[in-house]
Amino acid sequence: MIQITKDTRLVILTGAGISAESGLRTFRDSGGLWEDQRVEDVATPEGFARDPKLVWRFYKTRYKAAIDAQPNSGHAALVILEKFLGKNFCLITQNVDGLHTKAGSTGVLEMHGTLYECYCTKCLAMYRTAEIDLDPDLPVCSKCGSMLRPYIVWFGEIPYHLPEIEGKLRNCDLLMIIGTSGNVYPAAGFVMTAKYFGASTMAVNLDTVANSDYIDEFHQGKAGDILPKLVEQWC
Ligand code: NAD
Ligand code: ZN
């Protein structure tokens, strides 16, 4: 069993699975559909160019669901771990639902963006989603009148915070991946980078993961059950 102490430099990568117990659906386990939509239609720049109204409808619904959702015991366990490890703790998420922050985690690296922000497709002005008028089919920028888009990294776009993440992966002792299927790159490749630079790797997931060759210790089950037990043992 991998153990941690206060000196362990821990990097965590979470995916949609950690939010499943908060009632937000993952997409790999629903046949490649995300909330009944084809990913190509709602999570690519091409899909947005083709039908921006459909994409906006999709993200407005995701935003409202995220606002209503409550963090679960998996999110809460990571808050305890952050308090225990302090600056040795780094939390990266592929999720856009804001639940880690709602649970009390700080400095979360939201590599795929967040439902809580939007930006202008022309002048790039940033907005909190809460402050824009979501009633029109296509919300517009109050500065230049152009169409806004969700602050979400779609397939084919470059994730946020990659240089900082690369530095963390090269200098950690343990990388834990939680609730992520290991199919979406570059996040799926983080275990390879961490291992290459000498870290141990651990996965907590309901099903086997696609990048299992690079995982030293696998805990199969629900994040909401497993994480509180691990954290109780460690902290
Ligand atoms: P994924 O849907 O590809 O994989 C989720 C994994 O979580 C699966 O392997 C599944 O077995 C596992 N899982 C399901 N319930 C679990 C639980 N209770 N405990 C532990 N594991 C559980 O998700 P991904 O790898 O994060 O990739 C999905 C992409 O879609 C991401 O880029 C993300 O931005 C986006 N997405 C985000 C959300 C969200 O913000 N909540 C939801 C769906 C998709
Ligand atoms: Zn603008």
Side-chain angles (χ1 to χ4, degrees):
M1 280 280 275
I2 293 174
Q3 293 296 328
I4 68 165
T5 68
K6 275 186 180 296
D7 295 325
T8 307
R9 295 163 304 167
L10 174 66
V11 175
I12 292 191
L13 170 71
T14 64
I18 198 171
S19 294
E21 290 159 83
S22 295
L24 302 178
R25 277 162 66 189
T26 64
F27 79 85
R28 293 288 152 188
D29 46 9
S30 41
L33 297 181
W34 187 3
E35 297 283 348
D36 306 323
Q37 296 290 342
R38 289 187 336 143
V39 169
E40 305 87 297
D41 291 337
V42 294
T44 62
E46 294 80 10
F48 187 60
R50 237 179 357 252
D51 192 348
K53 287 184 186 169
L54 169 78
V55 175
W56 258 114
R57 208 161 47 236
F58 178 78
Y59 284 101
K60 283 178 197 173
T61 311
R62 301 278 75 69
Y63 173 62
K64 286 172 187 152
I67 288 178
D68 290 341
Q70 294 308 319
N72 62 57
S73 51
H75 298 101
L78 299 188
V79 178
I80 297 172
L81 211 42
E82 176 179 348
K83 289 195 177 120
F84 179 68
L85 291 172
K87 62 172 180 33
N88 284 335
F89 178 89
C90 170
L91 177 54
I92 305 162
T93 189
Q94 299 167 88
N95 295 345
V96 294
D97 54 37
L99 286 182
H100 286 301
T101 305
K102 212 188 245 186
S105 292
T106 61
V108 185
L109 298 173
E110 295 178 304
M111 63 178 291
H112 290 166
T114 171
L115 292 162
Y116 285 77
E117 288 175 45
C118 306
Y119 66 99
C120 175
T121 53
K122 187 161 184 214
C123 77
L124 306 181
M126 292 286 304
Y127 293 89
R128 301 280 306 159
T129 310
E131 76 192 17
I132 63 170
D133 181 4
L134 286 176
D135 282 341
D137 289 344
L138 294 175
V140 291
C141 175
S142 59
K143 298 187 173 68
C144 78
S146 301
M147 189 166 55
L148 296 178
R149 61 164 276 181
Y151 186 68
I152 300 284
V153 177
W154 288 324
F155 289 96
E157 297 182 324
I158 298 171
Y160 299 115
H161 310 296
L162 285 183
E164 185 178 354
I165 290 171
E166 177 81 11
K168 295 285 183 189
L169 294 172
R170 286 177 181 228
N171 293 291
C172 70
D173 301 305
L174 174 63
L175 170 65
M176 272 178 87
I177 63 168
I178 303 166
T180 178
S181 60
N183 284 300
V184 180
Y185 280 82
F190 291 176
V191 282
M192 295 168 213
T193 307
K195 261 204 111 36
Y196 183 78
F197 285 92
S200 303
T201 54
M202 182 190 283
V204 175
N205 210 64
L206 204 52
D207 308 310
T208 49
V209 292
N211 46 10
S212 60
D213 286 355
Y214 300 91
I215 302 296
D216 298 324
E217 191 173 297
F218 181 51
H219 295 260
Q220 187 160 14
K222 291 184 174 179
D225 292 335
I226 293 172
L227 293 176
K229 287 183 194 142
L230 285 174
V231 166
E232 197 184 330
Q233 187 190 316
W234 287 337
C235 303

